[in-house]
Amino acid sequence: MGDSQDAKGKGQYHIWSGPENRLLLRSLMDAINNGFRDASGKFNKLTIETRVLSVLRQQLGSKKTYGHYKNRMKILKTRYHNLTDFLRCNSGFGWDSETNKFTADDEVWKVYLKV
């Protein structure tokens, strides 16, 4: 099965390290704060390559491409939506901004973990 995937031209999976993730998010925030988004609130490919990925290359020697960026954003958006659903749909849960952790009474955790 691995041979058929190679025949289709799939590349190796490139893991994003912790420093790469942090720098990616910091670079995206800088780009937002500097007004580099278009009217719809999105970044174009040139902006990502020149303002975000170039920072990763310069500071960390990363070899991430625009394709890697798009895949990472898909993963981060999924995680974000899962967390917002968790907070919105599960009564009793909250967020502690000081510790950056979910909060809930012991009874709420017991019910959640039981499911």
Side-chain angles (χ1 to χ4, degrees):
M1 184 168 181
D3 293 337
S4 64
Q5 287 180 347
D6 293 337
K8 292 180 184 177
K10 292 203 176 215
Q12 289 183 333
Y13 180 73
H14 295 274
I15 297 173
W16 285 75
S17 68
E20 285 176 326
N21 271 321
R22 286 188 290 279
L23 189 55
L24 171 69
L25 295 174
R26 196 173 317 124
S27 299
L28 288 170
M29 290 303 300
D30 288 344
I32 290 169
N33 292 334
N34 290 320
F36 292 121
R37 293 186 293 175
D38 62 15
S40 66
K42 296 182 180 183
F43 294 111
N44 62 37
K45 183 178 179 179
L46 181 62
T47 299
I48 293 301
E49 289 177 343
T50 58
R51 305 278 181 182
V52 177
L53 295 177
S54 65
V55 173
L56 286 170
R57 287 184 199 106
Q58 290 171 354
Q59 293 188 17
L60 300 176
S62 177
K63 298 189 186 313
K64 299 293 193 256
T65 65
Y66 184 72
H68 297 129
Y69 158 79
K70 284 179 56 174
N71 186 41
R72 190 65 188 160
M73 290 308 295
K74 211 183 316 183
I75 291 167
L76 292 174
K77 285 178 186 178
T78 300
R79 288 183 181 175
Y80 172 78
H81 290 297
N82 289 342
L83 289 173
T84 56
D85 286 346
F86 182 72
L87 288 173
R88 184 179 62 245
C89 298
N90 291 306
S91 62
F93 285 99
W95 182 257
D96 184 353
S97 59
E98 287 184 26
T99 61
N100 290 329
K101 294 182 180 179
F102 288 103
T103 60
D105 294 332
D106 288 338
E107 190 62 34
V108 174
W109 280 113
K110 286 178 187 175
V111 171
Y112 176 75
L113 294 173
K114 186 184 266 187
V115 174

CSV table of all heavy atoms in Angstrom, one decimal, residues 77-109:
chain,number,residue,atom,x,y,z
A,77,LYS,N,-7.4,25.2,12.4
A,77,LYS,CA,-8.9,25.6,12.3
A,77,LYS,C,-9.7,24.5,12.9
A,77,LYS,O,-10.7,24.8,13.7
A,77,LYS,CB,-9.3,25.9,10.9
A,77,LYS,CG,-8.8,27.2,10.4
A,77,LYS,CD,-9.2,27.4,9.0
A,77,LYS,CE,-8.6,28.7,8.4
A,77,LYS,NZ,-8.9,28.9,7.0
A,78,THR,N,-9.4,23.2,12.6
A,78,THR,CA,-10.2,22.1,13.2
A,78,THR,C,-10.1,22.1,14.7
A,78,THR,O,-11.1,21.9,15.4
A,78,THR,CB,-9.7,20.8,12.6
A,78,THR,OG1,-9.9,20.8,11.2
A,78,THR,CG2,-10.5,19.6,13.2
A,79,ARG,N,-8.9,22.3,15.2
A,79,ARG,CA,-8.7,22.3,16.7
A,79,ARG,C,-9.4,23.4,17.3
A,79,ARG,O,-10.0,23.3,18.4
A,79,ARG,CB,-7.2,22.4,17.0
A,79,ARG,CG,-6.4,21.1,16.7
A,79,ARG,CD,-5.0,21.3,17.1
A,79,ARG,NE,-4.3,20.1,16.8
A,79,ARG,CZ,-3.0,19.9,17.0
A,79,ARG,NH1,-2.3,21.0,17.5
A,79,ARG,NH2,-2.4,18.8,16.7
A,80,TYR,N,-9.4,24.6,16.7
A,80,TYR,CA,-10.1,25.8,17.2
A,80,TYR,C,-11.6,25.5,17.2
A,80,TYR,O,-12.2,25.8,18.2
A,80,TYR,CB,-9.8,27.0,16.3
A,80,TYR,CG,-10.6,28.2,16.6
A,80,TYR,CD1,-10.3,29.0,17.7
A,80,TYR,CD2,-11.7,28.5,15.9
A,80,TYR,CE1,-11.1,30.1,18.1
A,80,TYR,CE2,-12.5,29.6,16.2
A,80,TYR,CZ,-12.2,30.4,17.3
A,80,TYR,OH,-12.9,31.5,17.7
A,81,HIS,N,-12.1,24.9,16.2
A,81,HIS,CA,-13.6,24.7,16.1
A,81,HIS,C,-14.0,23.6,17.2
A,81,HIS,O,-15.0,23.7,17.8
A,81,HIS,CB,-14.0,24.2,14.7
A,81,HIS,CG,-14.0,25.3,13.7
A,81,HIS,ND1,-14.8,26.5,13.9
A,81,HIS,CD2,-13.3,25.5,12.6
A,81,HIS,CE1,-14.6,27.3,12.9
A,81,HIS,NE2,-13.6,26.8,12.1
A,82,ASN,N,-13.1,22.6,17.4
A,82,ASN,CA,-13.4,21.6,18.4
A,82,ASN,C,-13.4,22.3,19.8
A,82,ASN,O,-14.3,21.9,20.6
A,82,ASN,CB,-12.3,20.5,18.4
A,82,ASN,CG,-12.5,19.6,17.2
A,82,ASN,OD1,-13.5,19.6,16.5
A,82,ASN,ND2,-11.4,18.9,16.8
A,83,LEU,N,-12.5,23.2,20.1
A,83,LEU,CA,-12.4,23.8,21.4
A,83,LEU,C,-13.6,24.7,21.6
A,83,LEU,O,-14.2,24.8,22.7
A,83,LEU,CB,-11.1,24.6,21.5
A,83,LEU,CG,-9.9,23.8,21.7
A,83,LEU,CD1,-8.6,24.6,21.7
A,83,LEU,CD2,-9.9,23.0,23.0
A,84,THR,N,-14.0,25.5,20.5
A,84,THR,CA,-15.2,26.4,20.7
A,84,THR,C,-16.4,25.5,20.9
A,84,THR,O,-17.3,25.9,21.6
A,84,THR,CB,-15.3,27.3,19.5
A,84,THR,OG1,-15.4,26.6,18.3
A,84,THR,CG2,-14.1,28.3,19.5
A,85,ASP,N,-16.6,24.4,20.2
A,85,ASP,CA,-17.7,23.6,20.4
A,85,ASP,C,-17.7,23.0,21.8
A,85,ASP,O,-18.8,22.9,22.4
A,85,ASP,CB,-17.7,22.4,19.4
A,85,ASP,CG,-18.1,22.8,18.0
A,85,ASP,OD1,-18.6,23.9,17.8
A,85,ASP,OD2,-17.9,22.0,17.1
A,86,PHE,N,-16.6,22.6,22.3
A,86,PHE,CA,-16.4,22.1,23.6
A,86,PHE,C,-16.9,23.1,24.6
A,86,PHE,O,-17.7,22.8,25.5
A,86,PHE,CB,-15.0,21.8,23.9
A,86,PHE,CG,-14.7,21.1,25.2
A,86,PHE,CD1,-15.1,19.9,25.5
A,86,PHE,CD2,-14.0,21.8,26.2
A,86,PHE,CE1,-14.8,19.3,26.7
A,86,PHE,CE2,-13.7,21.3,27.4
A,86,PHE,CZ,-14.1,20.0,27.7
A,87,LEU,N,-16.5,24.4,24.5
A,87,LEU,CA,-16.9,25.4,25.4
A,87,LEU,C,-18.4,25.8,25.3
A,87,LEU,O,-19.0,26.1,26.3
A,87,LEU,CB,-16.0,26.7,25.3
A,87,LEU,CG,-14.6,26.5,25.7
A,87,LEU,CD1,-13.8,27.7,25.3
A,87,LEU,CD2,-14.5,26.3,27.2
A,88,ARG,N,-18.8,25.8,24.0
A,88,ARG,CA,-20.2,26.3,23.8
A,88,ARG,C,-21.2,25.2,24.1
A,88,ARG,O,-22.3,25.5,24.7
A,88,ARG,CB,-20.4,26.7,22.3
A,88,ARG,CG,-21.7,27.3,22.0
A,88,ARG,CD,-21.9,27.7,20.6
A,88,ARG,NE,-21.7,26.6,19.6
A,88,ARG,CZ,-20.7,26.5,18.8
A,88,ARG,NH1,-19.8,27.4,18.7
A,88,ARG,NH2,-20.6,25.4,18.0
A,89,CYS,N,-21.0,24.0,23.8
A,89,CYS,CA,-22.0,22.9,23.9
A,89,CYS,C,-21.9,22.1,25.2
A,89,CYS,O,-22.9,21.4,25.5
A,89,CYS,CB,-21.8,21.9,22.8
A,89,CYS,SG,-22.0,22.7,21.2
A,90,ASN,N,-20.9,22.2,26.0
A,90,ASN,CA,-20.8,21.5,27.2
A,90,ASN,C,-21.0,22.4,28.4
A,90,ASN,O,-20.0,23.0,28.8
A,90,ASN,CB,-19.4,20.7,27.3
A,90,ASN,CG,-19.4,19.6,26.3
A,90,ASN,OD1,-20.2,18.8,26.2
A,90,ASN,ND2,-18.3,19.7,25.4
A,91,SER,N,-22.2,22.5,28.9
A,91,SER,CA,-22.4,23.4,30.0
A,91,SER,C,-21.6,22.9,31.2
A,91,SER,O,-21.3,21.8,31.4
A,91,SER,CB,-23.9,23.4,30.4
A,91,SER,OG,-24.3,22.1,30.8
A,92,GLY,N,-21.1,23.9,31.9
A,92,GLY,CA,-20.3,23.6,33.1
A,92,GLY,C,-18.8,23.8,32.9
A,92,GLY,O,-18.1,23.9,33.8
A,93,PHE,N,-18.4,23.9,31.6
A,93,PHE,CA,-17.0,24.1,31.3
A,93,PHE,C,-16.7,25.6,31.1
A,93,PHE,O,-17.5,26.3,30.6
A,93,PHE,CB,-16.6,23.3,30.1
A,93,PHE,CG,-16.4,21.8,30.3
A,93,PHE,CD1,-17.5,21.0,29.9
A,93,PHE,CD2,-15.3,21.3,30.9
A,93,PHE,CE1,-17.3,19.6,30.1
A,93,PHE,CE2,-15.2,20.0,31.1
A,93,PHE,CZ,-16.2,19.1,30.7
A,94,GLY,N,-15.5,26.0,31.5
A,94,GLY,CA,-15.1,27.3,31.3
A,94,GLY,C,-13.6,27.4,31.0
A,94,GLY,O,-13.0,26.3,30.8
A,95,TRP,N,-13.1,28.6,30.9
A,95,TRP,CA,-11.7,28.7,30.5
A,95,TRP,C,-11.0,29.7,31.5
A,95,TRP,O,-11.5,30.7,31.8
A,95,TRP,CB,-11.5,29.3,29.1
A,95,TRP,CG,-10.1,29.5,28.7
A,95,TRP,CD1,-9.4,30.6,28.6
A,95,TRP,CD2,-9.3,28.5,28.3
A,95,TRP,NE1,-8.2,30.4,28.2
A,95,TRP,CE2,-8.0,29.1,27.9
A,95,TRP,CE3,-9.4,27.1,28.1
A,95,TRP,CZ2,-6.9,28.4,27.5
A,95,TRP,CZ3,-8.3,26.4,27.6
A,95,TRP,CH2,-7.1,27.0,27.3
A,96,ASP,N,-9.9,29.2,32.1
A,96,ASP,CA,-9.1,30.0,33.0
A,96,ASP,C,-8.0,30.7,32.3
A,96,ASP,O,-7.1,30.0,31.8
A,96,ASP,CB,-8.6,29.2,34.2
A,96,ASP,CG,-7.9,30.0,35.2
A,96,ASP,OD1,-7.7,31.2,35.0
A,96,ASP,OD2,-7.5,29.4,36.3
A,97,SER,N,-8.1,32.0,32.0
A,97,SER,CA,-7.1,32.7,31.2
A,97,SER,C,-5.7,32.8,31.9
A,97,SER,O,-4.7,32.9,31.3
A,97,SER,CB,-7.6,34.0,30.8
A,97,SER,OG,-7.8,34.8,31.9
A,98,GLU,N,-5.7,32.7,33.2
A,98,GLU,CA,-4.4,32.7,33.9
A,98,GLU,C,-3.6,31.4,33.7
A,98,GLU,O,-2.4,31.5,33.5
A,98,GLU,CB,-4.6,33.0,35.4
A,98,GLU,CG,-5.0,34.4,35.7
A,98,GLU,CD,-5.2,34.6,37.2
A,98,GLU,OE1,-4.5,33.9,38.0
A,98,GLU,OE2,-5.9,35.5,37.6
A,99,THR,N,-4.3,30.3,33.8
A,99,THR,CA,-3.6,29.0,33.7
A,99,THR,C,-3.7,28.4,32.3
A,99,THR,O,-3.0,27.4,32.0
A,99,THR,CB,-4.2,28.0,34.7
A,99,THR,OG1,-5.5,27.8,34.4
A,99,THR,CG2,-4.0,28.4,36.2
A,100,ASN,N,-4.5,29.0,31.5
A,100,ASN,CA,-4.7,28.5,30.1
A,100,ASN,C,-5.2,27.1,30.1
A,100,ASN,O,-4.7,26.3,29.4
A,100,ASN,CB,-3.5,28.7,29.2
A,100,ASN,CG,-3.2,30.1,28.9
A,100,ASN,OD1,-4.2,30.9,28.8
A,100,ASN,ND2,-2.0,30.5,28.7
A,101,LYS,N,-6.2,26.8,31.0
A,101,LYS,CA,-6.7,25.5,31.1
A,101,LYS,C,-8.3,25.5,31.2
A,101,LYS,O,-8.8,26.6,31.6
A,101,LYS,CB,-6.2,24.7,32.3
A,101,LYS,CG,-4.7,24.5,32.3
A,101,LYS,CD,-4.2,23.7,33.5
A,101,LYS,CE,-2.7,23.4,33.4
A,101,LYS,NZ,-2.3,22.7,34.6
A,102,PHE,N,-8.9,24.4,30.8
A,102,PHE,CA,-10.3,24.3,31.0
A,102,PHE,C,-10.6,24.2,32.5
A,102,PHE,O,-9.9,23.6,33.3
A,102,PHE,CB,-10.9,23.1,30.3
A,102,PHE,CG,-10.9,23.3,28.8
A,102,PHE,CD1,-10.0,22.7,28.0
A,102,PHE,CD2,-11.9,24.1,28.2
A,102,PHE,CE1,-10.0,22.8,26.6
A,102,PHE,CE2,-11.9,24.3,26.8
A,102,PHE,CZ,-11.0,23.6,26.1
A,103,THR,N,-11.8,24.7,32.9
A,103,THR,CA,-12.2,24.6,34.3
A,103,THR,C,-13.6,24.0,34.3
A,103,THR,O,-14.4,24.2,33.4
A,103,THR,CB,-12.3,26.0,35.0
A,103,THR,OG1,-13.2,26.8,34.3
A,103,THR,CG2,-10.9,26.6,35.0
A,104,ALA,N,-13.8,23.2,35.4
A,104,ALA,CA,-15.2,22.6,35.6
A,104,ALA,C,-15.2,22.0,37.0
A,104,ALA,O,-14.1,21.7,37.5
A,104,ALA,CB,-15.5,21.6,34.5
A,105,ASP,N,-16.4,21.9,37.5
A,105,ASP,CA,-16.5,21.2,38.8
A,105,ASP,C,-16.2,19.7,38.6
A,105,ASP,O,-16.3,19.2,37.4
A,105,ASP,CB,-18.0,21.3,39.3
A,105,ASP,CG,-18.3,22.7,39.6
A,105,ASP,OD1,-17.4,23.5,40.0
A,105,ASP,OD2,-19.5,23.1,39.6
A,106,ASP,N,-15.9,19.0,39.7
A,106,ASP,CA,-15.6,17.6,39.6
A,106,ASP,C,-16.7,16.8,39.0
A,106,ASP,O,-16.5,15.8,38.2
A,106,ASP,CB,-15.2,17.0,40.9
A,106,ASP,CG,-13.8,17.5,41.4
A,106,ASP,OD1,-13.0,18.0,40.6
A,106,ASP,OD2,-13.6,17.5,42.6
A,107,GLU,N,-17.9,17.1,39.3
A,107,GLU,CA,-19.1,16.4,38.8
A,107,GLU,C,-19.2,16.5,37.3
A,107,GLU,O,-19.5,15.6,36.6
A,107,GLU,CB,-20.4,16.9,39.5
A,107,GLU,CG,-21.6,16.1,39.2
A,107,GLU,CD,-21.4,14.6,39.7
A,107,GLU,OE1,-20.8,14.4,40.7
A,107,GLU,OE2,-22.0,13.7,39.0
A,108,VAL,N,-18.9,17.7,36.8
A,108,VAL,CA,-19.0,17.9,35.3
A,108,VAL,C,-17.9,17.1,34.6
A,108,VAL,O,-18.2,16.5,33.6
A,108,VAL,CB,-18.8,19.4,35.0
A,108,VAL,CG1,-18.7,19.7,33.5
A,108,VAL,CG2,-19.9,20.3,35.6
A,109,TRP,N,-16.7,17.0,35.2
A,109,TRP,CA,-15.6,16.2,34.6
A,109,TRP,C,-16.0,14.7,34.6
A,109,TRP,O,-15.8,14.0,33.7
A,109,TRP,CB,-14.3,16.4,35.4
A,109,TRP,CG,-13.6,17.6,35.0
A,109,TRP,CD1,-13.4,18.7,35.7
A,109,TRP,CD2,-13.0,17.9,33.7
A,109,TRP,NE1,-12.7,19.7,35.0
A,109,TRP,CE2,-12.4,19.2,33.8
A,109,TRP,CE3,-12.9,17.2,32.5
A,109,TRP,CZ2,-11.8,19.8,32.7
A,109,TRP,CZ3,-12.2,17.8,31.4
A,109,TRP,CH2,-11.7,19.1,31.6
